Amino acid sequence: VPDRTRPGGRHVISLSSEGEFRLIERIVTRLRLGDDVVVGPGDDAAVVAAPDGRVVATVDVLVEGRHFRRDWSSGYDVGRKAAAASLADVVAMGARPTALVVGFAAPAELEVTWAEALADGLRDEAALVGASVVGGDITAADAISVAVTAFGDLAGRDPVTRAGAKVGDRVVVIGRIGWAAAGLALLQSGRGDRPLADAHRRPEVAYDAALAATASGAFTSLVDVSDGLVADLGHVATASAVSIRLTAAALPIDAEIAQAAEELGIDPWEWVAAGGDDHAFAGTVSGDLPQGAVVVGEVIPPGGGPVIGFVDRDTPVNRGHEHFTST
Amino acid sequence: VPDRTRPGGRHVISLSSEGEFRLIERIVTRLRLGDDVVVGPGDDAAVVAAPDGRVVATVDVLVEGRHFRRDWSSGYDVGRKAAAASLADVVAMGARPTALVVGFAAPAELEVTWAEALADGLRDEAALVGASVVGGDITAADAISVAVTAFGDLAGRDPVTRAGAKVGDRVVVIGRIGWAAAGLALLQSGRGDRPLADAHRRPEVAYDAALAATASGAFTSLVDVSDGLVADLGHVATASAVSIRLTAAALPIDAEIAQAAEELGIDPWEWVAAGGDDHAFAGTVSGDLPQGAVVVGEVIPPGGGPVIGFVDRDTPVNRGHEHFTST
């Protein structure tokens, strides 16, 4: 596959013209390895510290055309977003993220600079929590996909699962909700130049607040909101064999979101209750409220109604993102 | 997306008609969790034992149309093959595989039974080394891709890297070489019914021999042959700052391969020297020869020639698989 030259005349180096091994070299030189890395990229596998004697592990896959569009998001944006999805899952288990490995599939004609920007985004998002990109695999495919596996260390604590919510606990949210959904709506309506559209391109995850809260043992249960607040708290309720009642009036609707909703003539509540890509943390607490947490509901005994619902509003029809439904 | 009914009248349940959450339930019930699993599938992340205080981690991505074809390989085959690629990398670092997490992207219209068979294949290949599938992510995409991240435990030993080969070491191979390349050639020539074609569909990896050899500290360096014997031993030579001289006459050309080569009118040597998908183990030893190892060359001082070459034959032009080249 020969190099292409863009209409503007700029010379473009594609993945195929660069070749796999030089591409890997280009990417590896952009990474920075933290203290948890025992063996970094370049061998059959990486070796990462797991001082706790256990390792937390999770994977998320982002696919072009489903989770991002190249005309809306840069390679850097996609790197940030892909890393955030997995890092937030590690934090939601109560662990400190240590490392990422990345499976990257892309068309042979993709510009090398896009892949480099992706690596930069992965590196920078990981750096927010002190984690490093330690390995990966690159292969050709018709569309871009990025599979990020993240690891974490529990520092001797129990993992914070979905199954620990107790009747009487308060239900709390840490971090933005509704921003990514609002940003996507702006992009879909041709308003991608608004600052809020960046919330779709890459989330701003409340890692520090969530890490501090889990380190202090604040949560009885915790999830990363990836399918939507109602759907994910529904998972908590089911796993904990309790019911959850949310107060719609307590859900924070930030000014930026209210303004975008007004402009688009849309009720912002659906974004806040069912939007997924902000990677907020939702959980239950029995003791002191952790810093940055907003109380949005309470845990009640199971039975006598749906496992999740609102006391002051109908539950949204779209209870979360189903990747294979056509709706 | 409604269910489709095949021409034969068999009712087919697709991923989209089943929905993401029920699909995950279907898959999770097929898994079996071993002793290394602290928290299995169903939460934000899994928790896996890392008794050594370090964890070995690697990812490999298989893409439909590049690494497998659905008319040549079953879902089960692809699961076995995808797991093997990552498990072999863990073993090649000198570690015992403990767990897998899997990122799976697939078209909405894919039959659920294909995804279930994939999960069975991943589970069964992992079980060969006592590892478990502990988590994953499923998303829609135009083509199937499977990103498998594998973890392993070093049991207190140093990782066996590519950088440890010493002048005077013998170069050895454990496991099949050339089988997968021969199998692919048979499939490409319409002879997919031959038993050897199965070597492309799923490798038979010499896990036990390699695990026993690494546990006894036999290797000074070790790689999983995924790019081809010459290419991967070239990586060893470069990383170790030595040269490697192979003896072509010492490369085992198994009877099945010789027969397929004769039938296709092809020199089998290219399959053996440059074929990659068998996941044989190639390394260097300074002491006793481990069980199952075949000596194929020696480590010599650097300089005075290419880092990798044959003493009795020209080095093949195709020195390994480059995923983005068009050749």
Side-chain angles (χ1 to χ4, degrees):
Chain A
V1 179
D3 287 357
R4 295 177 302 134
T5 301
R6 280 189 170 164
R10 188 160 74 82
H11 185 69
V12 175
I13 302 173
S14 68
L15 299 193
S16 59
S17 65
E18 184 68 350
E20 182 183 359
F21 298 119
R22 271 183 303 176
L23 175 63
I24 290 172
E25 271 178 27
R26 269 179 183 259
I27 287 175
V28 166
T29 57
R30 307 179 85 84
L31 304 179
R32 284 191 297 268
L33 304 179
D35 293 340
D36 292 304
V37 184
V38 181
V39 176
D43 220 296
D44 292 289
V47 184
V48 179
D52 171 88
R54 300 166 296 176
V55 64
V56 172
T58 183
V59 62
D60 272 275
V61 183
L62 263 58
V63 175
E64 182 181 7
R66 315 272 172 171
H67 301 93
F68 65 89
R69 283 172 44 167
R70 254 189 283 170
D71 55 338
W72 287 353
S73 297
S74 68
Y76 185 80
D77 291 334
V78 174
R80 293 285 299 264
K81 187 184 180 86
S86 296
L87 293 167
D89 278 329
V90 169
V91 172
M93 285 302 277
R96 176 184 63 86
T98 53
L100 304 179
V101 298
V102 181
F104 176 51
E109 61 272 18
L110 183 72
E111 299 90 333
V112 163
T113 52
W114 200 96
E116 289 179 316
L118 177 83
D120 290 350
L122 291 161
R123 175 199 66 205
D124 289 353
E125 189 75 16
L128 294 177
V129 289
S132 314
V133 179
V134 296
D137 186 30
I138 299 180
T139 193
D142 289 337
I144 296 174
S145 71
V146 187
V148 177
T149 302
F151 313 118
D153 185 69
L154 285 161
R157 295 187 301 270
D158 286 336
V160 185
T161 70
R162 302 174 172 202
K166 298 275 178 281
V167 173
D169 286 353
R170 285 172 295 176
V171 178
V172 303
V173 172
I174 291 181
R176 291 172 163 186
I177 52 174
W179 284 59
L184 179 59
L186 287 172
L187 282 158
Q188 286 168 335
S189 73
R191 294 168 171 86
D193 57 329
R194 307 297 161 82
L196 188 55
D198 283 342
H200 161 78
R201 296 187 177 104
R202 49 185 200 240
E204 279 193 23
V205 183
Y207 298 117
D208 289 345
L211 285 166
T214 57
S216 70
F219 296 105
T220 54
S221 72
L222 188 62
V223 285
D224 155 50
V225 178
S226 51
D227 293 324
L229 185 67
V230 172
D232 283 310
L233 283 173
H235 299 153
V236 169
T238 301
S240 300
V242 297
S243 288
I244 285 178
R245 287 295 166 273
L246 300 173
T247 303
L251 296 186
I253 296 182
D254 297 304
E256 292 86 342
I257 292 189
Q259 192 192 324
E262 195 181 327
E263 199 174 315
L264 297 175
I266 286 174
D267 183 347
W269 189 66
E270 188 86 7
W271 295 339
V272 171
D277 281 342
D278 297 300
H279 300 291
F281 300 95
T284 53
V285 299
S286 56
D288 289 343
L289 208 60
Q291 278 240 305
V294 175
V295 177
V296 298
E298 61 171 341
V299 180
I300 64 171
V307 294
I308 181 106
F310 286 90
V311 294
D312 54 348
R313 189 152 183 175
D314 287 341
T315 302
V317 175
N318 172 15
R319 290 197 32 202
H321 187 62
E322 276 261 354
H323 284 106
F324 290 109
T325 53
S326 47
T327 51
Chain B
V1 179
D3 288 356
R4 295 177 303 133
T5 300
R6 280 190 168 164
R10 189 160 73 82
H11 185 70
V12 175
I13 302 173
S14 70
L15 299 193
S16 59
S17 65
E18 185 68 351
E20 183 184 358
F21 297 120
R22 272 183 302 178
L23 175 63
I24 291 171
E25 271 178 28
R26 270 181 184 258
I27 287 174
V28 167
T29 58
R30 308 179 84 85
L31 304 178
R32 284 191 298 268
L33 303 180
D35 293 341
D36 291 304
V37 185
V38 181
V39 176
D43 220 297
D44 292 288
V47 184
V48 178
D52 171 270
R54 301 166 295 176
V55 64
V56 172
T58 181
V59 62
D60 271 276
V61 185
L62 264 60
V63 175
E64 182 180 8
R66 313 274 171 169
H67 302 93
F68 64 89
R69 283 171 44 166
R70 255 190 282 170
D71 55 337
W72 286 353
S73 297
S74 68
Y76 185 79
D77 291 335
V78 175
R80 293 284 299 263
K81 187 184 180 88
S86 295
L87 293 167
D89 278 329
V90 169
V91 172
M93 285 302 277
R96 174 185 65 86
T98 53
L100 305 178
V101 298
V102 181
F104 176 51
E109 61 273 18
L110 183 71
E111 299 90 333
V112 163
T113 51
W114 200 96
E116 290 179 316
L118 176 83
D120 290 351
L122 291 160
R123 174 198 65 204
D124 289 353
E125 189 75 15
L128 294 176
V129 289
S132 315
V133 179
V134 296
D137 185 32
I138 300 181
T139 194
D142 290 336
I144 296 174
S145 72
V146 187
V148 177
T149 303
F151 312 118
D153 185 69
L154 284 161
R157 295 187 300 271
D158 285 336
V160 185
T161 70
R162 302 173 173 203
K166 297 275 177 282
V167 173
D169 286 353
R170 285 171 295 174
V171 178
V172 303
V173 172
I174 291 182
R176 291 172 164 186
I177 52 173
W179 285 60
L184 179 60
L186 286 172
L187 282 159
Q188 286 168 336
S189 72
R191 294 170 171 84
D193 57 328
R194 306 296 162 82
L196 188 55
D198 282 341
H200 161 77
R201 297 189 177 103
R202 50 185 199 241
E204 278 193 24
V205 183
Y207 298 116
D208 289 345
L211 284 167
T214 57
S216 71
F219 295 103
T220 54
S221 72
L222 187 63
V223 285
D224 156 49
V225 178
S226 51
D227 293 324
L229 185 67
V230 172
D232 284 309
L233 283 172
H235 299 154
V236 169
T238 302
S240 301
V242 297
S243 288
I244 285 178
R245 288 296 167 268
L246 300 172
T247 304
L251 295 186
I253 296 182
D254 297 305
E256 291 86 341
I257 292 188
Q259 193 191 326
E262 195 180 328
E263 200 175 315
L264 297 175
I266 287 173
D267 183 347
W269 188 66
E270 189 86 6
W271 295 339
V272 170
D277 281 343
D278 297 301
H279 300 289
F281 300 95
T284 53
V285 298
S286 57
D288 289 342
L289 208 59
Q291 278 241 306
V294 175
V295 177
V296 298
E298 61 173 341
V299 180
I300 64 170
V307 294
I308 181 105
F310 287 89
V311 294
D312 53 349
R313 189 152 184 175
D314 287 341
T315 302
V317 177
N318 171 17
R319 291 197 32 201
H321 188 62
E322 277 261 354
H323 285 106
F324 291 108
T325 53
S326 49
T327 50

